Amino acid sequence: MPSQRTLYRLFDKLAAGTHTTGSATTRRSVNARPAGPFGEVPACAPGEWMQIDSTPLDVLVRLDKGIAEKVELTAMIDLATRSLAAAVLRPTTKAADASALLARSITPEMMRPGWSEALRMSRSVLPHRRLMALDERLEPAAGRPVIVPDTIVCDHGKVFISNNFRASCRYLGISLQPTHKASPFEKGAIEKTLGSVATLFAQFVAGYTGRSADRRGRGLENGPLWSLPELQGLLDEWIVIWQNRPHDALRDPDSPKRAFTPNEKYATLLESCGYVPAPFSGEDYVELLPERWQAINSYGIRINHRTYDDAELTPVAPSALRSDGEEGAVGDPLRPLRRLPCLGTRPPQRASPVDHGVLETSAPCRRPVRRDGLGSRPRTGPGRDRGTDRRCRR
């Protein structure tokens, strides 16, 4: 019978690489790994291939109700430059939050009060003066590049395969490429980046909980915690610092010992790919919001404890509807459900009564109201025909 030390040495040799005594999550991940050799889709331009994902952030946040809860981090990374194009923190990620990432990616990150002057784009390696001649929005911008997505790789989370996120991608001309189910290695770049956010940012923030309950201290929820807007501001500032940090995946084949920063890689690719500004107006923000039916009252509409009113709601208010059951009445006269006009996007027009008969496809359709109380115009987006959107809800 061998000694105990000899048995341990034999066990270590047999268990090498199997994680027998390690985490069960690691063992499942290793077993699901495909057979080598591994390949990689080449990305030769910023925005050509991007990856998006969500994960819980190991930080307690003081929410509006005064309770301490964890939040979810949703981020998007560019494969060509390894740039963190955008990241948002929410108590629970919804489709509208994923659509907000698209808007944050194609708009410049402005400098905020309290940020160091070294974070300005004019102080970075990005060609700020040359870009300023094409896009005036970059004058007060921070050192984070503007990247317009071409193809986004995502998993099968309900947020990313929702109708609202797909519609937002279609409106902006973005191709959506879901991975195979239970295949996180197909978007390994964003998985690794989210882990870097946990080790390089989250663990230095007040309220860090650790990756599991056995790594958490006592009474953490009773200590000083950041609010959600404050933590979002810290994350946005850290992303600008991330852009100037050497990345191990950005190495020169001729000089493999040198690692480039995401901003240096973006400036290099800019010489061959160029830069085309993508203006983003208020109507475009409205198009990215989810749609919903909403009851119209005498004081307007009320969504999430906020009241919205507009002159265009007057023709469809309860006092303007007929309650005698004749043609023109829609639903309950006390709480009618109507298609709202496009508030703030078109000149005020008299809303015509809605008939319960057959809907003529040749007539322009009014779209349901957005969650913020605003309407929308037909989805025309960049490079699309401005035709009438016939997808109306009855």
Side-chain angles (χ1 to χ4, degrees), residues 64-217:
D64 296 339
K65 297 181 180 180
I67 59 177
E69 291 288 345
K70 284 188 177 182
V71 293
E72 290 188 2
L73 168 65
T74 305
M76 184 165 56
I77 190 175
D78 175 47
L79 287 184
T81 63
R82 289 302 196 271
S83 297
L84 262 173
V88 295
L89 297 174
R90 294 292 184 270
T92 302
T93 304
K94 299 180 181 179
D97 303 324
S99 299
L101 279 181
L102 306 179
R104 292 173 65 95
S105 175
I106 63 180
T107 54
E109 181 70 47
M110 299 301 174
M111 290 290 296
R112 303 180 188 178
W115 286 15
S116 173
E117 292 295 322
L119 300 181
R120 287 188 176 274
M121 183 178 291
S122 58
R123 302 286 186 91
S124 65
V125 298
L126 299 175
H128 182 252
R129 292 184 179 180
R130 296 170 55 188
L131 293 176
M132 271 286 298
L134 302 174
D135 194 349
E136 297 180 354
R137 301 176 302 170
L138 299 177
E139 181 178 1
R144 179 183 67 83
V146 177
I147 301 178
V148 180
D150 185 23
T151 302
I152 296 180
V153 180
C154 64
D155 55 16
H156 288 262
K158 63 179 182 179
V159 173
F160 306 121
I161 63 175
S162 62
N163 294 331
N164 178 63
F165 185 69
R166 289 178 177 269
S168 299
C169 291
R170 285 195 302 267
Y171 175 74
L172 296 176
I174 301 173
S175 301
L176 193 62
Q177 181 63 53
T179 62
H180 296 86
K181 292 186 177 180
S183 301
F185 50 84
E186 295 184 358
K187 52 179 183 62
I190 185 62
E191 298 283 354
K192 179 63 175 179
T193 303
L194 293 178
S196 299
V197 175
T199 56
L200 300 177
F201 170 75
Q203 70 171 348
F204 299 103
V205 178
Y208 178 64
T209 61
R211 63 188 183 188
S212 59
D214 57 346
R215 298 175 180 268
R216 183 184 308 177

Side-chain angles (χ1 to χ4, degrees), residues 374-387:
L374 300 179
S376 64
R377 54 183 173 80
R379 298 186 185 278
T380 53
R384 282 167 169 69
D385 297 333
R386 294 183 177 272

Side-chain angles (χ1 to χ4, degrees), residues 17 49 61 84 122 146 162 198 209 217 220 229 265-266 270 283 297 331 353 368 374 388 390:
W49 287 97
V61 174
L84 262 173
S122 58
V146 177
S162 62
T209 61
L220 185 62
K265 186 66 173 181
Y266 180 86
L270 206 62
E283 295 185 9
N297 299 280
L374 300 179
T388 303
R390 310 187 190 282

Side-chain angles (χ1 to χ4, degrees), residues 8 27 69-70 100 134 193 225 230 261 302 312 336 357-358 373:
Y8 280 150
R27 289 197 298 271
E69 291 288 345
K70 284 188 177 182
L134 302 174
T193 303
L225 301 176
E230 292 172 339
T261 66
R302 187 170 178 83
E312 295 187 16
V358 180

Side-chain angles (χ1 to χ4, degrees), residues 356-379:
H356 288 279
V358 180
L359 179 65
E360 298 179 2
T361 57
S362 60
C365 303
R366 294 194 180 276
R367 304 188 62 79
V369 69
R370 299 287 180 168
R371 288 193 184 276
D372 65 342
L374 300 179
S376 64
R377 54 183 173 80
R379 298 186 185 278

